[in-house]
Amino acid sequence: MTPETLFYIIIAIILIDFVIDKILDTLNAKHFDDPIPNELEDVYDNDEYEKSQRYKKERFRFGMISSTFSVLLTLGFIIFDGFAFVDNIARNFSDNSTVVALIFFGIIMLGSDILMTPFSWYSTFVIEEKYGFNKTTKKTFILDKLKGLLMGAIIGGGILALIVWFYQFAGDDFWWYAWILVAVFSVFMNMFYAKLIVPLFNKQTPLNDGSLRTKIEQYARSVGFKLDNIFVIDGSKRSTKANAYFSGFGSEKRITLYDTLINDLEEEEIVAVLAHEVGHYKKNHIIVNLVVSLVTTGFTLWLLSLFVGNPVLSETLGVSEPSFHIGLVAFGILYSPISEITGLIMNYISRKFEYQADNFAKSTYDGSFLISSLKKLSKNTLSNLTPHKAYIFVHYSHPSLLQRYRNLKAGI
Ligand SMILES: [Zn+2]
């Protein structure tokens, strides 16, 4: 295949992906004003429903503008040989291919981050602020950005440097080494993310003794679940939106509750949310997710190893001297239709897992408390109660509130 053909394929992939995404967004937006299903009528009163419609529409318009900007930027960068330009800059600093790759991705990541920052600023301090969600101060916003960039440089840079190094000594067999590296790193992060990374951004405190803790422990005992680590995180530092999640396994497993969740929900509702999280653990969802993502990574790396050394990839992006990092960029774009498909499959599995976790909470605790907590959480995030089916199929990692309601109600 000639570089010209491949060039047009790359442009087509980016455009088609964008157009499909926008069609889905528009389809979904057409249903923003639909009447609320009977089962969910008590989520909003009239004023709140109108407010949620304004919020959805504003988010939709914002998404249109920011994604159009981002796709034009990407296309312009490719068409005007941006990658060759940055590659040249990086080569002026060093002859070492690892160093060149680090500088190359450093410039691209930093550049795109800076260009997109006005959008995330607007999202946080204009849109979220207007609807009363935002609690982030400007100082926190800037610190978050800096910490995020620093972490990306250390972790992303470290992994990239090792993979380029593997490629230097192992050639096309590098993917085995890269796979082992990513696998070890994923398991490590899964275990220690809460201890190592979260404290950089949030404060976590063990849940105090009291009626909530007693109820949680009673429930955990009733399902034979050993739970020593229940933490409360200061999510209210950034947003009023509430959450709870499960992380780690073995002795490192812990449940993290947002302080906003504790404020918004009754104790029984919190236990129901927790029962759902325990369901994920008991049904082995955490292990399955990890294994599936490792298999996908292995497949991607293997495919990368077949193409990355091909000079056509570099020429396609206007770079005369082939290199691992340019091959990686071109491969990344060409691979995106496949990752769209694996993403669809992952979302499908994830929604199945959500039903299973809901059913676990229903059978071991109480479905109606879970329903009322889901309704409250939807109300407090002004969430869309009438999403389009196709949009759910592509984008939702959780079933819609209506789907979960019907599943939880079935058989009660
Ligand atoms: Zn879940």
Side-chain angles (χ1 to χ4, degrees):
M1 193 180 290
T2 65
E4 286 75 27
T5 320
L6 204 55
F7 176 82
Y8 288 114
I9 291 176
I10 282 182
I11 301 287
I13 285 176
I14 294 171
L15 278 174
I16 292 169
D17 182 56
F18 177 72
V19 169
I20 292 178
D21 212 42
K22 292 307 109 183
I23 291 173
L24 276 173
D25 285 355
T26 310
L27 208 57
N28 199 43
K30 276 204 162 57
H31 293 269
F32 281 169
D33 292 332
D34 282 5
I36 295 181
N38 288 336
E39 295 101 316
L40 306 180
E41 247 171 2
D42 55 346
V43 172
Y44 295 128
D45 62 29
N46 276 342
D47 283 354
E48 285 161 345
Y49 185 47
E50 273 168 31
K51 190 178 171 194
S52 84
Q53 286 170 311
R54 286 198 303 275
Y55 180 62
K56 287 185 285 193
K57 287 171 190 170
E58 193 152 354
R59 280 253 146 243
F60 168 68
R61 277 192 301 270
F62 175 75
M64 278 287 176
I65 295 168
S66 61
S67 60
T68 306
F69 174 78
S70 156
V71 85
L72 288 177
L73 196 71
T74 309
L75 288 174
F77 200 72
I78 293 173
I79 291 168
F80 297 108
D81 286 341
F83 291 111
F85 178 73
V86 177
D87 188 58
N88 265 328
I89 297 177
R91 284 184 191 286
N92 281 335
F93 283 96
S94 172
D95 292 327
N96 181 300
S97 51
T98 310
V99 177
V100 173
L102 286 174
I103 297 174
F104 176 84
F105 281 114
I107 293 175
I108 293 196
M109 295 296 177
L110 190 64
S112 68
D113 194 87
I114 290 171
L115 286 166
M116 292 315 283
T117 293
F119 290 95
S120 61
W121 182 278
Y122 184 86
S123 165
T124 306
F125 294 112
V126 179
I127 303 181
E128 296 294 292
E129 185 78 40
K130 194 196 285 182
Y131 292 90
F133 294 134
N134 180 44
K135 294 280 171 252
T136 311
T137 62
K138 292 179 175 151
K139 186 183 159 202
T140 305
F141 182 90
I142 293 165
L143 280 177
D144 281 356
K145 265 267 167 265
L146 295 175
K147 287 183 220 168
L149 283 170
L150 196 69
M151 244 178 51
I154 296 170
I155 297 176
I159 291 178
L160 176 71
L162 283 170
I163 292 179
V164 176
W165 180 61
F166 294 153
Y167 186 66
Q168 279 166 353
F169 77 76
D172 287 348
D173 284 335
F174 82 95
W175 72 275
W176 274 109
Y177 300 86
W179 193 16
I180 292 167
L181 171 74
V182 174
V184 171
F185 181 75
S186 307
V187 173
F188 178 81
M189 269 301 167
N190 222 293
M191 296 282 280
F192 297 107
Y193 182 78
K195 269 190 184 155
L196 296 177
I197 308 291
V198 178
L200 300 174
F201 295 91
N202 283 92
K203 256 205 241 23
Q204 303 174 102
T205 41
L207 178 64
N208 289 330
D209 285 337
S211 56
L212 177 60
R213 189 164 184 119
T214 310
K215 281 175 189 153
I216 291 175
E217 282 169 350
Q218 260 168 11
Y219 169 76
R221 226 173 298 128
S222 76
V223 290
F225 185 75
K226 199 168 148 13
L227 182 61
D228 302 321
N229 304 315
I230 312 168
F231 284 86
V232 180
I233 195 171
D234 59 342
S236 59
K237 182 179 167 187
R238 294 192 181 78
S239 170
T240 59
K241 293 177 177 173
N243 201 358
Y245 61 87
F246 199 101
S247 61
F249 36 80
S251 63
E252 290 300 324
K253 69 180 192 284
R254 64 160 80 193
I255 281 184
T256 306
L257 306 169
Y258 277 49
D259 54 355
T260 41
L261 190 86
I262 294 177
N263 284 331
D264 292 353
L265 301 183
E266 304 296 324
E267 292 184 345
E268 284 75 15
E269 292 168 336
I270 298 172
V271 179
V273 169
L274 210 119
H276 168 100
E277 297 301 328
V278 172
H280 279 309
Y281 190 85
K282 285 272 185 182
K283 302 275 173 192
N284 294 322
H285 296 163
I286 292 154
I287 302 287
V288 172
N289 281 337
L290 193 62
V291 171
V292 171
S293 98
L294 287 180
V295 171
T296 320
T297 308
F299 171 71
T300 313
L301 285 167
W302 167 74
L303 211 57
L304 172 68
S305 76
L306 300 183
F307 294 103
V308 73
N310 194 325
V312 175
L313 288 183
S314 301
E315 285 172 52
T316 300
L317 295 178
V319 180
S320 49
E321 193 172 340
S323 62
F324 183 82
H325 58 272
I326 297 290
L328 186 57
V329 169
F331 175 82
I333 303 170
L334 292 167
Y335 184 74
S336 63
I338 301 177
S339 72
E340 292 287 335
I341 293 167
T342 53
L344 285 181
I345 298 170
M346 294 296 272
N347 271 345
Y348 180 80
I349 295 174
S350 169
R351 291 192 299 269
K352 289 274 168 255
F353 285 178
E354 291 306 319
Y355 284 128
Q356 289 179 9
D358 279 356
N359 291 340
F360 183 86
K362 180 165 80 173
S363 63
T364 60
Y365 191 64
D366 189 318
S368 53
F369 281 126
L370 188 55
I371 289 176
S372 65
S373 72
L374 292 174
K375 282 185 170 179
K376 278 189 190 171
L377 294 173
S378 294
K379 170 190 159 86
N380 292 350
T381 50
L382 296 177
S383 84
N384 182 12
L385 302 185
T386 55
H388 190 272
K389 270 191 186 127
Y391 193 86
I392 297 177
F393 182 74
V394 176
H395 288 297
Y396 275 38
S397 61
H398 289 56
S400 71
L401 180 61
L402 183 64
Q403 291 171 322
R404 292 179 77 177
Y405 175 94
R406 286 182 177 157
N407 173 61
L408 282 165
K409 273 285 174 188
I412 285 187

